[in-house]
Amino acid sequence: MGRSPSGSPAAAVVHALAERAETLAVVESLTGGLLASALVEVAGASLVFRGGLVVYATDLKRTLAGVPERLLADRGPVDPDVAVAMARGARVRCAADWTLATTGVAGPQPQGGKPVGRVYVALAGPAGVHQVRRLDLGGGRDAVRRSSVTAALRLLTTQLRATRA
């Protein structure tokens, strides 16, 4: 993603959370650490960013992020409820106010009947707040992963604006 200028989605998240004195963690599958990287490129990220989990393998979604085994067995890893469960589980495990999750198919092949570009980004926050968005992204593997990061950051930015402290 390169350097995150002050007007980037990552900078908007970091600055909004700093103003609120709240923290953020991430749990990533298809983005493989790209979301965490975008955040730590922002000066001041250490004030709000707790860390994260990269759960690329399906079994790690269960063991590290706390996604129920039955949910994974019934729906597979690319599912809106799985994305929310990842966010909720990582929020607890990382002791953060907010958590962003990414899961999906970056390509080059479809996975589990899901097409390349199908992505779910989710957030979990205080007082049981959670949201999930389905994305159907075009472009190659790199474009899908980068667009997923941007979409996740924008999802949180929108929620933070809606719940101004």
Side-chain angles (χ1 to χ4, degrees), residues 29-30 55-58 61 72 75-79 103-118 141:
S29 185
L30 85 150
V55 292
Y56 209 69
T58 299
K61 290 172 181 62
L72 286 166
R75 308 260 189 93
V78 182
D79 178 83
T103 188
V105 184
Q109 301 296 323
Q111 176 188 342
K114 303 294 192 306
V116 172
R118 174 71 46 83
R141 182 176 176 77

Side-chain angles (χ1 to χ4, degrees), residues 41-108:
E41 286 178 1
V42 178
S46 61
L47 296 173
V48 301
F49 186 60
R50 300 263 312 140
L53 307 170
V54 176
V55 292
Y56 209 69
T58 299
D59 64 306
L60 294 181
K61 290 172 181 62
R62 179 181 55 79
T63 59
L64 295 181
V67 177
E69 187 172 359
R70 189 85 215 131
L71 179 59
L72 286 166
D74 289 348
R75 308 260 189 93
V78 182
D79 178 83
D81 293 334
V82 169
V84 169
M86 287 169 59
R88 287 179 168 167
R91 182 175 175 264
V92 170
R93 285 162 172 75
C94 294
D97 296 305
W98 298 93
T99 303
L100 288 171
T102 64
T103 188
V105 184

